[in-house]
Amino acid sequence: AQKVTQAQTEISVVEKEDVTLDCVYETRDTTYYLFWYKQPPSGELVFLIRRNSFDEQNEISGRYSWNFQKSTSSFNFTITASQVVDSAVYFCALSEAYSGNTPLVFGKGTRLSVIA
Amino acid sequence: NAGVTQTPKFRVLKTGQSMTLLCAQDMNHEYMYWYRQDPGMGLRLIHYSVGEGTTAKGEVPDGYNVSRLKKQNFLLGLESAAPSQTSVYFCASSRDRVSTEAFFGQGTRLTVV
């Protein structure tokens, strides 16, 4: 069965520091998708990025970057020059194409606190 | 555009009472989901639907029932609320099960006393 592990429960950084949120996944499928969501203090879940298993290119979007490594089953998320507005809970999630019908499975989340 | 709308946003129930959470989406998505979020547990899937008239159990279905009579609506029912069902409930929808992102409602904070 698919599984997503976010080992970091809480991280606290000072503004302008870089921070990496780890995500390790388990799947037997060769075709799967990985996602990151942000949940700010207001509570809603905001989609950040999607990556399929055949695309290992790293992605950069402004201060955000994602590193996908199939060899280590990891999909890590880095925030460069963190800001207070980055304070949120971040979830990594996985969906498999062929193994059963189970939809998106989430990790337990990492709470990031950015201190001014 | 509304996206995914949940009703109500907050509710307090007494143990043993029943209630229905409403979820509506205006994106014509086939797939709809109910998750619950508890501290330290992330989001856990309660039930989901792969299309109008269908429902399926997720990871934590006990104590809940669902219905999808119309494509745009997905209802979550609690027949006899228990304190263990105190949680924040999220509804979500997606165009397909695997490759597209899920869009989430704003959440319903339910307290059972």
Side-chain angles (χ1 to χ4, degrees):
Chain A
Q2 72 231 73
K3 184 179 176 182
V4 176
T5 301
Q6 295 180 255
Q8 304 150 308
T9 306
E10 294 190 33
I11 300 176
S12 183
V13 299
V14 176
E15 202 171 23
K16 298 184 183 177
E17 285 185 350
D18 299 347
V19 58
T20 295
L21 310 182
D22 298 332
C23 173
V24 174
Y25 62 92
E26 294 177 28
T27 178
R28 290 175 294 182
D29 268 19
T30 55
T31 302
Y32 52 90
Y33 286 76
L34 295 160
F35 302 80
W36 275 96
Y37 284 83
K38 175 182 180 179
Q39 187 179 40
S42 54
E44 76 276 20
L45 281 137
V46 178
F47 164 75
L48 294 178
I49 191 171
R50 171 184 60 240
R51 173 67 72 228
N52 74 56
S53 53
F54 299 107
D55 182 4
E56 285 195 74
Q57 280 191 336
N58 292 334
E59 174 131 354
I60 299 174
S61 176
R63 295 184 297 106
Y64 294 173
S65 62
W66 290 268
N67 180 256
F68 176 32
Q69 291 195 335
K70 288 177 74 170
S71 60
T72 56
S73 297
S74 64
F75 186 41
N76 297 336
F77 173 29
T78 297
I79 301 175
T80 302
S82 59
Q83 299 177 2
V84 173
V85 294
D86 296 326
S87 296
V89 181
Y90 291 87
F91 292 97
C92 181
L94 165 71
S95 64
E96 297 173 317
Y98 302 117
S99 294
N101 225 9
T102 311
L104 206 57
V105 171
F106 286 82
K108 294 185 177 181
T110 298
R111 181 178 299 276
L112 174 65
S113 298
V114 181
I115 304 165
Chain B
N1 53 11
V4 179
T5 304
Q6 292 181 229
T7 310
K9 293 184 175 57
F10 303 93
R11 185 72 186 267
V12 178
L13 282 181
K14 293 183 179 179
T15 298
Q17 285 185 322
S18 63
M19 77 163 294
T20 300
L21 279 65
L22 311 179
C23 178
Q25 52 98 1
D26 61 3
M27 295 171 283
N28 202 36
H29 285 167
E30 290 293 336
Y31 292 80
M32 295 188 75
Y33 318 92
W34 278 106
Y35 289 89
R36 61 178 286 173
Q37 183 179 18
D38 303 291
M41 299 299 293
L43 287 103
R44 294 181 293 169
L45 184 66
I46 304 171
H47 286 281
Y48 63 100
S49 169
V50 303
E52 181 179 318
T54 75
T55 62
K57 293 180 180 179
E59 180 186 356
V60 288
D62 294 343
Y64 306 95
N65 56 75
V66 288
S67 64
R68 182 107 180 262
L69 299 179
K70 292 183 178 180
K71 186 176 184 178
Q72 64 267 34
N73 297 333
F74 194 29
L75 309 182
L76 178 71
L78 285 72
E79 294 176 343
S80 179
S84 61
Q85 294 177 304
T86 294
S87 188
V88 179
Y89 292 86
F90 285 97
C91 176
S93 72
S94 64
R95 183 164 51 83
D96 67 59
R97 180 182 65 80
V98 179
S99 64
T100 60
E101 69 271 24
F103 292 82
F104 283 81
Q106 71 273 49
T108 297
R109 184 173 295 276
L110 174 66
T111 302
V112 182
V113 298

